[in-house]
Amino acid sequence: MSVPKDLLYSKDHEWVKKEADGKVRIGITEFAQKELGDIVFVELPEIGAELSAGDSFGSVESVKTVSELYAPVTGVVAEINEDLEDSPEFVNESPYDKAWMIELESVDDSAFDDLLDAEAYEKLIG
């Protein structure tokens, strides 16, 4: 299982990508989607919602279970991936590309201090 080196990770198996425009894109890792199984529904927050690190921002429903999604950093929801409403299977097919879930803005740089780099995340799931 590959863990992209250019992302940061939470212990709750969310990935975090800093975008060039200062926004932060978030999704769940390949490890998480494999553990959940076939994803059948994704619930995401409203644009404009204010999230603190650790807050639930939605859920992912698989044939096996429903799992909460937790914000790895604090920020304001600037965008949600509406494609997941009609195509929740993207989470299984492309967790790091097509299946990003939310984009946050107004994220403080210190928020990244508590996240794991790829090497530390590999140790966590290894």
Side-chain angles (χ1 to χ4, degrees), residues 11-35:
K11 291 181 175 138
D12 293 318
H13 309 289
E14 280 90 18
W15 58 260
V16 176
K17 180 180 183 188
K18 294 183 196 179
E19 298 288 348
D21 62 5
K23 291 183 182 157
V24 176
R25 192 169 267 201
I26 298 168
I28 66 169
T29 64
E30 183 176 3
F31 175 84
Q33 68 81 16
K34 279 200 165 114
E35 292 288 302

Side-chain angles (χ1 to χ4, degrees), residues 46-99:
E46 297 289 320
I47 290 175
E50 292 182 27
L51 299 174
S52 294
D55 284 356
S56 171
F57 70 82
S59 62
V60 177
E61 187 176 330
S62 71
V63 291
K64 293 195 267 185
T65 187
V66 175
S67 186
E68 291 288 314
L69 300 167
Y70 297 101
V73 295
T74 298
V76 177
V77 179
E79 200 173 333
I80 61 169
N81 187 347
E82 293 177 358
D83 293 343
L84 297 179
E85 198 173 302
D86 296 325
S87 303
E89 69 276 4
F90 284 174
V91 177
N92 296 113
E93 295 167 7
S94 181
Y96 298 113
D97 189 26
K98 288 196 286 193

